[in-house]
Structures are given as C-alpha cells and as structure tokens.
C-alpha cells in the first residue's frame, strides 16, 4: 500500500477556526482521536560494526568497493517502526471542552485512561520517494494486533523499544482523504517495558508537555492507495489532494513535507579504519 500526503502548520489561535472550516468542507463533525505511539528500531545485523568502511592506501580498490556494497545491503533494510495504540472512547458520552474530554453523564473530566480500551496496530512507513512530486509518496504497511505479548513479539521479530509519545487531535474524512489535525505531547520515559498494558497507562493530559512550545497543530491530509505503481490510482489521489489544497489555501498552506524530516531509516555511524 502507498500513502500520498500533504502537510500544513496550524497556529494554536487558528485551531478552532480551522476545525469549523474543515467541518464545512467535509460536512461532518470532527472525530476526536488519541493515540499512543511506541517507537522501535531494528537491530543492527551482528558483526556489522566489524565490517571496515574503508581501507588504507594499500587496500585493494575492488575489494573495498565490494565491502561497501555489502555493508550498504546490510544497512538498507534497517528502519524505525511503530506500535500505534488508538485509545477507544469510553461507553459514556463525552465531548471536548477546552481541549479536554468531558464525560457528559458523570459531569466530570475524563482523565483516567487506564480503564480505556486501546486498539493496537503495527505500522511501517518507508522514507518518501526522492523524485520531485506535488505530494509526498511512500510505501506503508499496517497490521492490526488483536491480542498477545506485543513487546515480546517485537523483540523476537528483531526490534527493540526506543521511545514513546502521545498524539491528540481531530480527524475528518473527505472522499478518499483523511484529514488529521493534531499535535504531539511528550510521555514520561518508560524503562524495562514488558507489555503494552503497562505502557498504555499514561498520566492525565494536563501533565503532559507539548512537544511544540508554541502549542501549534499539524494538519496532515493523506490518501492510501492499494498500489502506487498504478498510475491511474496515483493520479486520482494527487488530484484530490491538490483540490483540497486549493480549497483550504486561504486558511492553511498545504505542501509536501521535507523528505528527510520523514526519513524512517536508522542512521548508521560511519567508522573509518
């Protein structure tokens, strides 16, 4: 599956206005979304650090070229991946008040997330294609996890935990396009992670610091297509995203993100011996 996307910055003071405009464009009310993101990195193949990056002046050039080719192959498939947990709303009606969920039946803020259900999925996103295009295009894969020891599975699968963060925002849907207005909050460091039931227990939102001190939001517009190599599907998705860009141009500037800012490859330090 391939993802085509555009991004825009929404200042905090324009957030409510943007939501109102998106509600008008999509003819729907925003859907509140909360997600826990667990970041994992693939382990470096054993012995890679012993493969010399280059030799001295006495080295055979053909042999050095072969070593570089081999090392490039070993490094090319090493990526960061994520387990994404979508927090399912409680059974009681809730609404958003001043950026917080409010239980309308109990007349109180919804702060205890430990009792809420979390739906988990494994998510891989490749680095966007390097060719100059009007949108970001990259290969993606999502696999839903029903149950089980996901952390142990990731470990056996060759991935180790790195960090976690929390996303809050609102989603809209327009034809094939998903529009996600969101911002990131930092989560306390979690060491010795054993299972996702422990890591899903997060503090109240009021205690979580925003990653962006300006309190701004990111507007992400995406379309997922089954095969980005089918030009007809790709062209149609690009047209839809560009049409949305034109519709919202007075409110927010949508554009492809910096490709390297979306790089999911694990940097490998270069060692010269």
């Amino acid at each position: 599956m391939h993802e085509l996307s555009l991004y825009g910055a929404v200042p905090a003071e324009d957030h409510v206005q943007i939501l109102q405009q998106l509600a008008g464009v999509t003819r729907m009310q925003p859907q509140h979304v909360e997600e826990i993101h667990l970041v994992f990195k693939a382990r470096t193949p054993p012995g890679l650090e012993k493969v010399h990056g280059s030799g001295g002046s006495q080295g055979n050039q053909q042999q050095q070229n072969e070593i570089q080719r081999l090392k490039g192959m070993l490094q090319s498939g090493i990526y960061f991946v994520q387990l994404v947990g979508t927090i399912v709303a409680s059974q009681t009606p809730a609404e958003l008040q001043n950026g917080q969920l409010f239980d309308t039946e109990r007349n109180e803020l919804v702060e205890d997330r430990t009792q809420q259900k979390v739906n988990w999925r494994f998510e891989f996103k490749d680095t966007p294609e390097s060719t100059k295009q009007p949108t970001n295009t990259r290969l993606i894969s999502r696999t839903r996890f029903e149950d089980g020891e996901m952390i142990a599975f990731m470990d056996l699968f060759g991935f180790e935990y790195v960090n976690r963060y929390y996303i809050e925002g609102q989603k809209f849907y327009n034809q094939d396009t998903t529009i996600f207005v969101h911002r990131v909050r930092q989560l306390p460091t979690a060491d010795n992670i054993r299972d996702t039931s422990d890591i899903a227990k997060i503090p109240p939102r009021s205690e979580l610091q925003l990653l962006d001190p300006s309190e701004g939001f990111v507007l992400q517009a995406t379309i997922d297509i089954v095969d980005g190599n089918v030009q007809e599907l790709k062209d149609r998705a690009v047209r839809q995203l560009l049409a949305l860009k034109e519709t919202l141009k007075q409110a927010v500037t949508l554009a492809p993100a910096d490709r390297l800012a979306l790089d999911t490859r694990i940097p490998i330090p270069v060692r010269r011996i």
Side-chain angles (χ1 to χ4, degrees):
M1 186 162 61
H2 286 75
E3 174 191 82
L4 281 71
S5 57
L6 291 173
Y7 300 83
V10 178
E13 59 270 20
D14 295 340
H15 180 230
V16 174
Q17 181 181 357
I18 286 292
L19 294 184
Q20 292 173 344
Q21 292 182 342
L22 289 173
V25 169
T26 61
R27 298 180 296 279
M28 66 170 286
Q29 291 300 308
Q31 295 186 359
H32 185 72
V33 176
E34 294 179 87
E35 294 180 345
I36 305 169
H37 288 244
L38 311 183
V39 182
F40 294 79
K41 69 175 182 179
R43 295 191 186 93
T44 304
L48 183 61
E49 70 281 355
K50 297 180 180 180
V51 179
H52 296 174
S54 62
S57 57
Q58 302 291 328
N60 181 285
Q61 186 61 45
Q62 182 177 357
Q63 183 182 24
Q64 292 303 319
N65 290 340
E66 182 64 20
I67 290 175
Q68 288 290 352
R69 186 186 70 83
L70 175 61
K71 193 170 184 178
M73 290 173 59
L74 292 173
Q75 293 176 0
S76 62
I78 305 177
Y79 292 88
F80 289 103
V81 299
Q82 296 193 8
L83 282 181
V84 181
T86 301
I87 300 176
V88 180
S90 60
Q91 298 300 314
T92 56
E95 60 185 25
L96 199 62
Q97 292 188 5
N98 299 322
Q100 295 181 298
L101 279 178
F102 191 84
D103 191 315
T104 55
E105 282 193 356
R106 293 181 296 179
N107 196 34
E108 61 184 20
L109 291 175
V110 179
E111 289 289 359
D112 183 11
R113 289 173 174 75
T114 62
Q115 303 302 319
Q116 291 184 311
K117 182 181 178 182
V118 180
N119 291 333
W120 292 96
R121 67 180 183 271
F122 172 86
E123 190 169 274
F124 165 77
K125 292 189 176 184
D126 201 353
T127 303
E129 297 174 6
S130 58
T131 55
K132 188 174 180 59
Q133 297 181 9
T135 68
N136 292 119
T137 303
R138 61 180 173 183
L139 181 68
I140 65 170
S141 176
R142 299 188 184 97
T143 303
R144 183 175 177 180
F145 280 5
E146 296 290 345
D147 202 356
E149 298 295 335
M150 288 174 273
I151 304 298
F153 171 80
M154 295 295 291
D155 181 66
L156 293 173
F157 201 48
F159 290 91
E160 58 187 54
Y161 170 78
V162 177
N163 204 351
R164 63 177 185 160
Y165 59 94
Y166 166 84
I167 281 185
E168 60 178 348
Q170 296 79 32
K171 279 189 177 181
F172 298 84
Y173 301 96
N174 183 39
Q175 299 184 57
D176 300 323
T177 308
T178 299
I179 305 169
F180 191 18
V181 183
H182 64 279
R183 56 185 179 182
V184 177
R185 291 186 182 271
Q186 302 178 63
L187 288 173
T189 302
D191 298 321
N192 301 320
I193 296 175
R194 297 184 181 277
D195 58 64
T196 49
S197 62
D198 291 335
I199 204 167
K201 298 175 182 177
I202 60 177
R205 187 186 316 167
S206 58
E207 299 178 12
L208 302 180
Q209 184 178 357
L210 287 169
L211 183 63
D212 181 1
S214 73
E215 301 184 357
F217 291 77
V218 174
L219 192 158
Q220 176 182 352
T222 61
I223 295 178
D224 294 344
I225 55 179
V226 176
D227 188 354
N229 297 317
V230 178
Q231 196 60 40
E232 181 182 354
L233 295 177
K234 187 174 181 179
D235 290 344
R236 184 171 64 185
V238 169
R239 287 195 300 270
Q240 289 187 20
L241 287 173
L242 294 181
L244 179 66
K245 174 182 178 179
E246 179 68 19
T247 300
L248 299 177
K249 66 179 182 179
Q250 299 298 329
V252 60
T253 301
L254 292 178
D258 185 335
R259 175 176 175 266
L260 295 181
L262 301 176
D263 196 336
T264 55
R265 296 168 296 183
I266 296 175
I268 305 294
V270 177
R271 296 180 175 87
R272 297 186 180 275
I273 299 179

